[in-house]
Amino acid sequence: MSALPPCPKCHCEYTYEDGALLVCPECAHEWAPGDVAQDEDVKIVKDAVGNVLQDGDTVTVIKDLKVKGSSSVVKVGTKVRNIRLVDGDHDIDCKIDGIGQMGLKSEFVKKA
């Protein structure tokens, strides 16, 4: 089998060489063999407008969101304070007044 390192973005093992670069066939990421250490586990979460989010930020909901398993709705303009960034399907863990603990996707919020 190949002795090439897996892709640093999607961890695909089917990388190949293209000149001086390594290329991933699944996500099309290109990198130099020495640059792998710089790309490790740096996840940047951005809101709907492209602002970088961090733990403790305050965000505003930009779309009515139905709460799964409930008849509640998180309305547009709801401010969510002290967010926590997490890995998984939903990027943001937070507590919303009147609803409780909830997970939000970063594409439905903007930084306040």
Side-chain angles (χ1 to χ4, degrees):
M1 206 74 206
S2 164
L4 297 174
C7 175
K9 288 212 175 196
C10 71
H11 304 290
C12 171
E13 60 188 36
Y14 303 112
T15 57
Y16 62 92
E17 289 182 278
D18 186 20
L21 296 176
L22 297 174
V23 181
C24 175
E26 289 185 8
C27 69
H29 179 63
E30 297 180 351
W31 73 99
D35 292 345
V36 176
Q38 297 173 358
D39 291 340
E40 288 182 19
D41 296 332
V42 178
K43 184 177 178 189
I44 298 174
V45 178
K46 295 186 178 184
D47 65 0
V49 223
N51 297 321
V52 177
L53 297 174
Q54 297 177 347
D55 286 342
D57 281 347
T58 300
V59 295
T60 305
V61 178
I62 62 168
K63 177 184 176 184
D64 282 347
L65 301 173
K66 294 179 184 177
V67 179
K68 201 173 206 177
S70 173
S71 61
S72 304
V73 175
V74 179
K75 297 285 187 179
V76 172
T78 302
K79 280 199 174 190
V80 181
R81 293 178 175 82
N82 200 18
I83 65 169
R84 194 167 35 114
L85 301 178
V86 294
D87 290 333
D89 187 30
H90 293 77
D91 303 326
I92 299 171
D93 222 10
C94 62
K95 185 175 180 182
I96 299 177
D97 294 336
I99 295 176
Q101 194 68 24
M102 184 169 210
L104 296 173
K105 292 188 178 184
S106 59
E107 61 200 50
F108 298 121
V109 298
K110 73 175 182 178
K111 195 170 184 176

